[in-house]
Amino acid sequence: MEFDVGSILEGKVTGITKFGAFVSLGEHKSGLVHISEIANTYVNDIHDHLQEGQTVKVKVLAVDENGRINLSIKRAQPAPQGAAQSGGRSAGAHGPRRPSQQHPAAGVRHGHGAAVQSAAPMTAEESFEAKLKAFMTESEGRISDWNHAMDKRGRKR
């Protein structure tokens, strides 16, 4: 049985570790639900949310070239009422996010004017690549600004 990214399946929790839970999907296949994909709230101890032998609905996030399956329990469920569209974060107690901290798919300008727009929903891997590219662009800009400031102070290269 092939597991298509985005499909929702039912499985049984077969093991719990400090970083996630393993879920059996039948036919000698299992996948990992990372701790960050268990619930829409902060998960300190997975045992507070799951037990071995429990049946859960999971969404297939990715299948890598080695056949490992990344799963999500929270994405297999409907979004909770009042959840922010920005990945579950709202302005809340910590105030609004600064533009440099916003997700690159949001079309926010980063660093030196590089705008990243998304035409379609991204896969987990594409999302990571977009975040990494935005981080590298911003980081290179900051290093360049720092070097320029240091050159003005008389530092020799």
Side-chain angles (χ1 to χ4, degrees):
M1 174 180 191
E2 274 302 308
F3 298 101
D4 295 327
V5 172
S7 60
I8 298 191
L9 309 167
E10 200 166 274
K12 187 174 280 193
V13 177
T14 58
I16 296 176
T17 67
K18 64 182 179 181
F19 57 84
F22 290 94
V23 176
S24 173
L25 301 171
E27 296 185 24
H28 305 291
K29 286 286 191 176
S30 65
L32 175 68
V33 179
H34 187 267
I35 190 169
S36 64
E37 292 293 333
I38 290 178
N40 286 313
T41 60
Y42 177 74
V43 176
N44 186 42
D45 185 3
I46 296 172
H47 292 94
D48 293 341
H49 299 269
L50 298 174
Q51 298 173 359
E52 286 191 33
Q54 179 179 352
T55 301
V56 293
K57 282 190 177 185
V58 293
K59 182 173 184 176
V60 178
L61 298 181
V63 180
D64 71 9
E65 62 275 355
N66 295 324
R68 293 180 293 208
I69 305 167
N70 295 330
L71 304 169
S72 173
I73 293 173
K74 73 180 182 183
R75 295 187 200 187
Q77 302 167 355
Q81 289 289 5
Q85 292 292 344
S86 62
R89 289 187 180 184
S90 61
H94 299 292
R97 296 171 83 188
R98 294 191 324 235
S100 64
Q101 294 173 322
Q102 291 183 359
H103 190 281
V108 175
R109 294 199 166 273
H110 290 276
H112 289 56
V116 179
Q117 297 287 338
S118 67
M122 290 191 223
T123 65
E125 188 173 323
E126 290 171 336
S127 176
F128 172 77
E129 292 295 326
K131 287 179 184 178
L132 181 60
K133 183 176 180 179
F135 169 79
M136 293 300 293
T137 300
E138 184 176 343
S139 179
E140 288 169 358
R142 287 183 180 188
I143 290 171
S144 175
D145 291 347
W146 184 80
N147 284 335
H148 182 71
M150 293 307 290
D151 287 342
K152 282 187 169 183
R153 292 182 187 152
R155 184 187 72 137
K156 305 231 186 216
R157 283 194 169 195

